[in-house]
Amino acid sequence: NAGVMQNPRHLVRRRGQEARLRCSPMKGHSHVYWYRQLPEEGLKFMVYLQKENIIDESGMPKERFSAEFPKEGPSILRIQQVVRGDSAAYFCASSQLADTAHEQYFGPGTRLTVT
Amino acid sequence: QKEVEQDPGPLSVPEGAIVSLNCTYSNSAFQYFMWYRQYSRKGPELLMYTYSSGNKEDGRFTAQVDKSSKYISLFIRDSQPSDSATYLCAFYPSGTASKLTFGTGTRLQVTL
């Protein structure tokens, strides 16, 4: 009964490099959400995806950030040309149905450090 | 006005104490009220949620919602050192699937 899985758990990138964060939702869940947590701040919504569709990307910066959830495989959050301000913990959550989207289960997070 | 307000703490209590954690909110569209627990450098863990107003109890935890005051609480009875964590309130609107809106979290320390 695996929960939400994220990898890598820790990622170090130099400024200007690309970061790819992966998320596998809980078994039977088809809705994926990405959140970012900065030090001393709460979690901020970034994007909500279903298989092959972006449903809501209102929290995602317009430039350098993109997300996908392909038919096969994990959801990917991609950050191009990273800057120091991108250093944060990125959490993925999943829910089973749209009707149960209030019950979101979180993964352990990926901690991104930009040097 | 912030959409959600939560006292960051830290809140330090002795083992066995009753803990009260609170959040206020301003968005009337919120219909689901969640509490998450987050241990240091871990992902948030859903403790419980309440729909609309009222109380909900689960073991040592009680969640309370007062929609008229836009105020929610989490009570922890007989607190244990293992309860030491950051507690996040979260809110979800009715209607089509959308995002959770989180408070900044209250850091709780239960001492022996």
Side-chain angles (χ1 to χ4, degrees):
Chain A
N1 188 20
V4 178
M5 298 175 69
Q6 290 187 251
N7 65 80
R9 296 290 305 277
H10 301 274
L11 183 60
V12 180
R13 285 287 178 265
R14 289 200 178 97
R15 277 179 299 170
Q17 291 185 319
E18 179 179 288
R20 280 189 180 231
L21 289 63
R22 287 177 291 277
C23 168
S24 296
M26 283 179 72
K27 189 176 180 181
H29 286 197
S30 58
H31 301 253
V32 165
Y33 311 79
W34 285 93
Y35 293 82
R36 177 165 62 178
Q37 187 174 41
L38 292 166
E40 306 304 322
E41 292 189 22
L43 286 93
K44 302 293 185 189
F45 168 81
M46 298 182 74
V47 62
Y48 161 39
L49 310 104
Q50 292 180 31
K51 286 283 186 182
E52 300 185 281
N53 285 305
I54 296 174
I55 308 301
D56 181 357
E57 56 182 347
S58 60
M60 195 115 88
K62 294 285 185 280
E63 296 179 356
R64 302 188 298 110
F65 285 73
S66 62
E68 62 176 6
F69 189 14
K71 189 176 180 183
E72 301 290 338
S75 175
I76 306 284
L77 179 67
R78 183 180 175 208
I79 311 173
Q80 294 178 291
Q81 299 174 314
V82 295
V83 300
R84 288 227 171 98
D86 296 332
S87 295
Y90 292 82
F91 291 96
C92 166
S94 71
S95 68
Q96 187 174 23
L97 302 167
D99 288 349
T100 59
H102 53 278
E103 286 186 71
Q104 294 182 21
Y105 295 89
F106 283 77
T110 294
R111 277 160 183 81
L112 173 65
T113 302
V114 179
T115 61
Chain B
Q1 182 185 9
K2 278 187 177 180
E3 203 168 23
V4 177
E5 300 267 12
Q6 183 174 14
D7 187 334
L11 178 63
S12 183
V13 301
E15 184 179 8
I18 296 174
V19 176
S20 172
L21 304 163
N22 312 293
C23 287
T24 58
Y25 65 97
S26 59
N27 189 341
S28 300
F30 291 149
Q31 294 292 329
Y32 290 88
F33 307 91
M34 274 67 64
W35 286 97
Y36 283 82
R37 178 175 62 195
Q38 186 176 23
Y39 291 112
S40 180
R41 305 190 73 75
K42 302 287 186 186
E45 172 193 357
L46 179 61
L47 282 176
M48 55 199 305
Y49 74 88
T50 311
Y51 174 71
S52 196
S53 282
N55 292 3
K56 186 174 184 179
E57 191 173 316
D58 184 0
R60 295 185 296 112
F61 298 89
T62 299
Q64 199 170 73
V65 174
D66 181 349
K67 289 184 72 177
S68 61
S69 302
K70 294 190 173 66
Y71 187 89
I72 69 169
S73 301
L74 178 71
F75 297 97
I76 308 174
R77 288 185 299 282
D78 187 24
S79 55
Q80 303 295 310
S82 59
D83 295 328
S84 298
T86 296
Y87 290 80
L88 301 157
C89 57
F91 300 82
Y92 185 83
S94 59
T96 54
S98 183
K99 61 190 179 189
L100 291 174
T101 300
F102 282 87
T104 52
T106 299
R107 194 149 47 100
L108 171 67
Q109 182 74 37
V110 180
T111 58
L112 290 168

